[in-house]
Amino acid sequence: MSGSKHFYLGILFFIAFVLSFTFISEKQANSSAKVTYQVKIPLGIPKDLWEMFIPPDNPITPEKVELGRKLYFDKRLSVDNTVSCATCHDPKFAFAENKKVSEGVGGKKGARNAPTVLNAMFYEEQFWDGRAPTLEEQAKQPIINPIEMGMPDHDAVVKKLKGIPEYVEAFRKVFGGEITIDRVAQAIAAFERTLLTGNSPFDRFIAGDQNAISESAKRGWQLFQGKARCITCHEFNRSNPFFTDNKYHNIGVAMNREGFAELARKAEMLAKQGRLDKRKLDELALDPAYSELGRFLVTLNPKDIGAFKTPTLRNIELTAPYMHDGSEATLLDVIEFYNRGGNDNPNLSGEMRPLNLTDQEKQDLVEFLKTLTGEFPKDFPENK
C-alpha cells in the first residue's frame, strides 16, 4: 500500500472518530435537555441511570406525571368503569398483586400473574414475554384486551376520555393539543417512570453497612452467587442493580400440559396468514392455552417455547404468589422448585439442574430475598 493511501485512510478514520463523538454528544444532549422533572433516586440505583432511560420523544414534566397518575388510577379507562392499571398493579402489593392471575372486567381471569411496575422503566422489554418494547407500548394493550379493561378499541378510549372535561383540559395543558391514544400512553409511562424502588437493607449492606442484614441473609447472599446459582439469571451489579438479565428462559414452569407442539403450529399458521398482529398477540398471551408458549408467541423461534422473562427480585417478599402463572405460593416454594431443577420438558433451559440445598441453605436464601424489600412510593390521593 502506498504512503499516500495510508495518509488518506488515516484522515477517514479521524473523521469517523470525530463524528462518533458528535453523535454521542447530540444523543446525550437530546436526552438530558428535555428532562425537567426531579425525582428522588433511592439508594442502590445509579443517580445518572434514571435520566438516561427517559426517552427523548417523551420528555417528563410534573404536569405529565400528574396526568399519568390520574389515568393510572382511573377505572373509567375500562369498559364498565371497574378496572384501572392499579387494579392489577396495586401500590399495596409493591405495584403487583396478591392473586395467582389477574382479574379484569366482569371478573374475567387471565393466565398470568401481574409483574411489578416498580423500576420497570429500566427493563429492555415489557410483559413476561417481552411483546412490548417500551412502557408506552405496554400501556396501550391492557386497555383494549377483552379480559382486562375491555374497551372495544383505542378510538373508543379516546372518545370516552374526550367526554370528561377535566381530561380535555389536562391534555391541552400537557401536550398542547387534543387527546390521542399515544398521549394517553405517554402520560401513563411518564408516571410509571417515577415509580422507583431501592434503599433496601441489601442496598445498605452493599453500600457498606455490615449490620444492615442478618448473618443468615449474608449466607443466603453467598449461596445466591454460588451454590444456588440464582445470579446466573437474576443478575446484579452496581450498574445494573435490578436482579434480572432481561432475557427469557424455560425453567419448567410452563409446558405442564400436553399439546404444545400443536399450539405452536397454530400460532405459526396465524403469523403466516398475517393474523398475528399486536392485538391478537396480546389476546393469545392471556389465553390459558396459548399463554404457556411464552416468548415463542413473540419470536416464533422454537427455542423460546415455554420461555419467560427473568423477573426482578426487588420487593419479592411483597409480591406473592410467584412465577408467571402464580403457581408458587411462597418464597420457600420457589426455592424448592429450583432445588429440584424445575419441571422437565423438551425445551428446559440447560441452566436448570438439581441444587442439593440443605434446609438451612433454603432458609438462608429466603432471609436474603427478604432483604430486597425497599422503599417505594405508596401514598397517592387515590389509595388513601
Side-chain angles (χ1 to χ4, degrees):
M1 188 179 288
S2 68
S4 60
K5 197 168 184 178
H6 275 118
F7 173 77
Y8 287 118
L9 281 174
I11 293 293
L12 286 173
F13 279 122
F14 176 75
I15 292 172
F17 180 76
V18 170
L19 286 175
S20 69
F21 271 87
T22 302
F23 173 75
I24 293 171
S25 297
E26 288 178 352
K27 187 175 180 181
Q28 289 174 331
N30 284 336
S31 177
S32 60
K34 296 177 181 177
V35 178
T36 59
Y37 187 85
Q38 296 296 316
V39 67
K40 180 182 178 183
I41 308 293
L43 178 69
I45 297 179
K47 291 191 179 302
D48 58 347
L49 201 59
W50 182 78
E51 194 163 311
M52 290 170 60
F53 275 75
I54 303 299
D57 61 351
N58 189 20
I60 194 166
T61 65
E63 294 80 11
K64 191 185 293 181
V65 170
E66 174 68 6
L67 174 58
R69 178 187 62 76
K70 289 180 178 176
L71 290 165
Y72 184 92
F73 285 97
D74 197 336
K75 295 181 178 179
R76 291 176 291 182
L77 263 66
S78 64
V79 69
D80 61 0
N81 304 326
T82 62
V83 177
S84 70
C85 305
T87 301
C88 301
H89 303 280
D90 191 332
K92 292 199 299 289
F93 304 107
F95 286 85
E97 62 182 345
N98 64 344
K99 300 174 181 175
K100 289 185 68 173
V101 296
S102 300
E103 293 181 13
V105 292
K108 297 175 186 174
K109 291 187 177 181
R112 294 182 183 173
N113 180 263
T116 179
V117 178
L118 294 169
N119 289 351
M121 66 173 290
F122 301 112
Y123 301 155
E124 293 177 5
E125 291 152 336
Q126 304 297 326
F127 290 122
W128 279 101
D129 52 19
R131 64 185 182 277
T134 64
L135 287 177
E136 284 80 359
E137 285 301 311
Q138 187 280 329
K140 294 178 189 174
Q141 297 190 24
I143 302 174
I144 58 170
N145 188 293
I147 62 173
E148 293 188 286
M149 299 168 83
M151 290 295 290
D153 52 44
H154 286 143
D155 288 342
V157 178
V158 171
K159 182 179 179 181
K160 189 173 183 179
L161 290 176
K162 284 183 175 178
I164 304 174
E166 67 186 86
Y167 278 130
V168 174
E169 175 59 23
F171 275 82
R172 186 197 62 75
K173 182 178 179 182
V174 172
F175 293 101
E178 64 179 8
I179 300 171
T180 69
I181 193 61
D182 285 338
R183 287 169 174 170
V184 170
Q186 285 181 320
I188 294 174
F191 169 65
E192 291 178 333
R193 291 190 174 99
T194 69
L195 301 178
L196 307 180
T197 184
N199 196 21
S200 67
F202 175 73
D203 291 311
R204 296 192 287 276
F205 171 71
I206 290 294
D209 182 357
Q210 293 300 306
N211 297 319
I213 67 176
S214 67
E215 291 303 315
S216 175
K218 290 175 185 175
R219 292 193 299 270
W221 171 227
Q222 292 304 314
L223 288 161
F224 188 92
Q225 302 170 85
K227 182 179 178 181
R229 308 176 67 249
C230 314
I231 205 166
T232 302
C233 298
H234 294 284
E235 289 182 1
F236 173 86
N237 57 61
R238 291 183 187 235
S239 61
N240 178 34
F242 305 110
F243 292 93
T244 175
D245 59 0
N246 280 295
K247 295 178 181 175
Y248 304 84
H249 308 273
N250 179 329
I251 60 172
V253 175
M255 306 290 294
N256 296 324
R257 302 173 191 167
E258 296 180 354
F260 283 101
E262 180 60 23
L263 281 174
R265 280 193 290 272
K266 287 182 179 178
E268 286 178 318
M269 184 60 67
L270 287 172
K272 288 178 181 176
Q273 294 170 346
R275 297 163 56 198
L276 192 56
D277 57 13
K278 281 196 292 188
R279 185 162 192 180
K280 186 65 176 177
L281 174 58
D282 189 59
E283 291 177 11
L284 292 184
L286 299 189
D287 181 291
Y290 284 94
S291 173
E292 295 204 350
L293 290 174
R295 179 69 173 166
F296 174 81
L297 283 173
V298 180
T299 66
L300 300 179
N301 188 331
K303 77 175 181 60
D304 288 330
I305 291 177
F308 291 86
K309 188 169 71 176
T310 307
T312 181
L313 298 180
R314 287 189 174 272
N315 302 298
I316 193 74
E317 179 186 16
L318 307 178
T319 62
Y322 306 107
M323 305 298 191
H324 75 272
D325 57 358
S327 56
E328 302 296 339
T330 69
L331 289 175
L332 187 57
D333 291 340
V334 173
I335 291 169
E336 294 284 6
F337 175 88
Y338 282 106
N339 192 45
R340 68 173 183 266
N343 296 330
D344 191 30
N345 71 82
N347 294 75
L348 186 67
S349 168
E351 298 291 343
M352 295 298 290
R353 66 195 68 166
L355 300 173
N356 300 313
L357 297 170
T358 67
D359 289 344
Q360 182 61 55
E361 289 172 335
K362 295 171 192 173
Q363 193 57 48
D364 289 340
L365 281 166
V366 169
E367 291 305 308
F368 164 68
L369 292 172
K370 289 179 179 177
T371 71
L372 302 180
T373 302
E375 297 177 351
F376 56 86
K378 298 174 184 172
D379 298 325
F380 301 97
E382 292 82 359
N383 67 337
K384 281 187 176 178

